[in-house]
Amino acid sequence: MAVEDEPVALPVLAPRSGLLLGAAGGVVVPFSVLGAGGRGEVRVSWVLAKAPLAFSLSFGFEQHTATTAALVPPPAGGLERAGIVNQTLYPAQLFVHALLWRDDRNRLQLGAGYAVLVTWSETQALGKQREESGVGHEVAGELAYARRFGPVELEVRARYSVRRTAVGLTTTAMEPPWYQTAGVLLGLGLWP
């Protein structure tokens, strides 16, 4: 008489939800006179348990450089054939994410957000150096994939945005009023 083994039920782990702390870094390429730049950010996210949604707030640092010809308005006035812009951005960004797919280890999400860009620009044009600062704006979207290893999570994000960073007379002369960017960020998260 053969004894059949009873099937053993494996525990099914629920997708992780709650607070997620993270940091990311990568490259952002503006479709404007500004060159490709680096971006770093810290992010706090809240992943809902019962709905396929998440919310995040991030603070970052981004830097770009450009060399361009520009017609500088008065009081300096004149044509600068090789103006230089060094621009530093401090984005504060709020995102809403739709969780397209998730299980106990993987997550694929699509997000949309708005950022306030505290902008500091240093320009050199017509033999003079100027510093300009102000507030810019950005509307962004991103597609992200995350893989969890215990309490640690690795993430890759592809992002696209439309932004305005010209905050003074000189930067307005050198940059388009609104421009697009694309970028890739790699991140590391921690579930506390």
Side-chain angles (χ1 to χ4, degrees):
M1 178 167 160
V3 177
E4 292 186 22
D5 293 334
E6 291 184 20
V8 176
L10 296 174
V12 176
L13 299 175
R16 193 79 189 247
S17 61
L19 183 67
L20 174 64
L21 306 174
V27 176
V28 175
V29 180
F31 304 156
S32 71
V33 298
L34 296 170
R39 179 181 176 112
E41 67 180 35
V42 293
R43 182 180 274 200
V44 176
S45 300
W46 186 261
V47 181
L48 300 181
K50 301 204 183 268
L53 288 174
F55 301 92
S56 65
L57 177 64
S58 66
F59 298 95
F61 172 83
E62 192 174 318
Q63 198 158 32
H64 300 276
T65 298
T67 302
T68 184
L71 186 59
V72 180
L79 175 65
E80 172 58 81
R81 296 191 186 277
I84 298 172
V85 179
N86 293 311
Q87 192 170 84
T88 303
L89 307 173
Y90 301 97
Q93 191 162 337
L94 182 62
F95 256 89
V96 176
H97 308 274
L99 305 178
L100 304 176
W101 171 68
R102 69 175 166 170
D103 61 22
D104 62 317
R105 299 231 181 260
N106 303 288
R107 188 175 71 250
L108 181 67
Q109 63 190 34
L110 186 64
Y114 169 78
V116 172
L117 304 171
V118 176
T119 305
W120 181 76
S121 298
E122 182 181 57
T123 60
Q124 296 174 15
L126 301 174
K128 294 185 179 177
Q129 184 169 324
R130 294 170 189 83
E131 292 181 1
E132 298 172 336
S133 60
V135 176
H137 306 278
E138 176 180 68
V139 176
E142 67 181 27
L143 179 64
Y145 169 74
R147 173 81 176 163
R148 188 164 64 92
F149 302 91
V152 176
E153 182 173 281
L154 298 178
E155 180 182 54
V156 61
R157 282 186 261 148
R159 54 179 285 121
Y160 168 81
S161 74
V162 177
R163 63 170 57 161
R164 177 182 175 85
T165 60
V167 293
L169 289 175
T170 308
T171 50
T172 301
M174 294 182 172
E175 289 182 40
W178 290 87
Y179 60 91
Q180 303 170 59
T181 72
V184 175
L185 298 175
L186 299 176
L188 182 67
L190 180 65
W191 295 91

